[in-house]
Amino acid sequence: MLKKFFVICLAVTFLIGCADTKEVKKEVGKKAMVANKATKGAQGSSSIFLDDFDTGEKPNKMGGDSGTWNKDAEDLTQGCVMSFDGITRYGEKGFSLKLDYDVDSPNAAYCGYWSKLEGKNLSKCKSLVFYAKGDDTEGYTTKFTIELKGAKQSSKYTVTGLNNSWKIFRIPLSEFKEIKDWASMKEFVITFDDITVTNKQGGIYIDEIYFSE
Ligand SMILES: [Ca+2]
Ligand SMILES: [Ca+2]
């Protein structure tokens, strides 16, 4: 009888111990998410950050350059301009990336943003993750294209469903079907083109771009 009692006591103590450990783990996980700078998530998986824009300047978090590109610099009716925004941002401090685009032109029009991946090995990563929202005042497209460029292949994916509040987008890397080799990645590109966009002129905000395992 006494033996049985001890066994029960032991089991209860063990269970309480386990619950405590879980609580601590949960708390640590939460803090990592809030800080968002941590490379280790709650489950011990890593994220490779491209950029959080929080320095408000170049380079990106991989040490690479970034900028905007235009189909035709001579055509002043179209183009894309980037800036760092300290007011509309994801998170409590720092900046977001603001892209103002215009593909309303009598000519074929496309433009966008690029950021260098500096030969990063993304073989172990499963998704491309970022936060985005449209600019209510200027108007915005709910659709745009993301392109990833590797050493040999590049591939495009159309992002849909952008709205006027911050939203997380999680794109499985398997959606970038043409890329077979992720070992030495070159570039992340956003494209606004006059056929894909739902609004030919406007502004969108992007923040916290990273690749998750
Ligand atoms: Ca930011
Ligand atoms: Ca225009």
Side-chain angles (χ1 to χ4, degrees):
M1 188 66 190
L2 201 66
K3 203 173 164 190
K4 209 172 180 182
F5 177 71
F6 273 121
V7 170
I8 290 168
C9 279
L10 212 71
V12 167
T13 316
F14 177 71
L15 282 175
I16 290 170
C18 283
D20 277 346
T21 322
K22 261 187 203 154
E23 268 318 298
V24 170
K25 271 189 190 156
K26 227 162 111 186
E27 196 52 38
V28 169
K30 224 167 142 185
K31 272 183 189 149
M33 301 256 280
V34 169
N36 241 330
K37 302 293 166 277
T39 51
K40 293 277 180 191
Q43 277 79 41
S45 62
S46 327
S47 299
I48 302 176
F49 260 83
L50 171 58
D51 217 341
D52 58 14
F53 310 101
D54 286 352
T55 59
E57 57 184 19
K58 301 173 194 181
N60 63 34
K61 280 185 98 72
M62 291 182 178
D65 199 6
S66 61
T68 51
W69 59 275
N70 299 297
K71 182 221 163 202
D72 179 3
E74 311 264 288
D75 181 0
L76 300 178
T77 67
Q78 61 172 292
C80 184
V81 177
M82 69 181 270
S83 56
F84 298 102
D85 199 299
I87 295 164
T88 306
R89 66 196 172 199
Y90 182 78
E92 283 162 15
K93 59 181 178 60
F95 297 85
S96 71
L97 172 73
K98 172 83 187 293
L99 297 175
D100 292 299
Y101 69 91
D102 178 357
V103 289
D104 191 0
S105 161
N107 309 310
Y110 42 93
C111 59
Y113 167 82
W114 55 269
S115 191
K116 294 285 182 191
L117 299 175
E118 297 296 285
K120 273 273 185 273
N121 186 347
L122 302 179
S123 307
K124 286 187 178 155
C125 295
K126 301 230 165 24
S127 315
L128 164 66
V129 186
F130 61 89
Y131 293 81
K133 82 186 277 287
D135 183 337
D136 254 344
T137 326
E138 280 177 53
Y140 57 92
T141 174
T142 61
K143 277 168 78 179
F144 59 91
T145 307
I146 285 183
E147 185 174 12
L148 292 178
K149 295 182 180 175
K152 294 192 185 81
Q153 305 101 8
S154 61
S155 191
K156 289 176 183 170
Y157 178 85
T158 306
V159 176
T160 58
L162 194 80
N163 60 37
N164 62 359
S165 56
W166 284 112
K167 184 172 162 183
I168 187 166
F169 291 85
R170 203 179 288 274
I171 307 163
L173 293 187
S174 55
E175 293 287 345
F176 295 91
K177 294 184 175 68
E178 287 83 4
I179 301 181
K180 307 291 175 216
D181 180 7
W182 293 86
S184 181
M185 295 303 291
K186 302 295 177 213
E187 206 173 8
F188 167 94
V189 180
I190 289 176
T191 301
F192 304 100
D193 70 76
D194 54 358
I195 296 162
T196 306
V197 295
T198 58
N199 210 5
K200 287 197 175 180
Q201 194 171 354
I204 68 166
Y205 299 92
I206 310 262
D207 215 337
E208 309 269 336
I209 309 172
Y210 61 94
F211 296 91
S212 75
E213 279 189 8

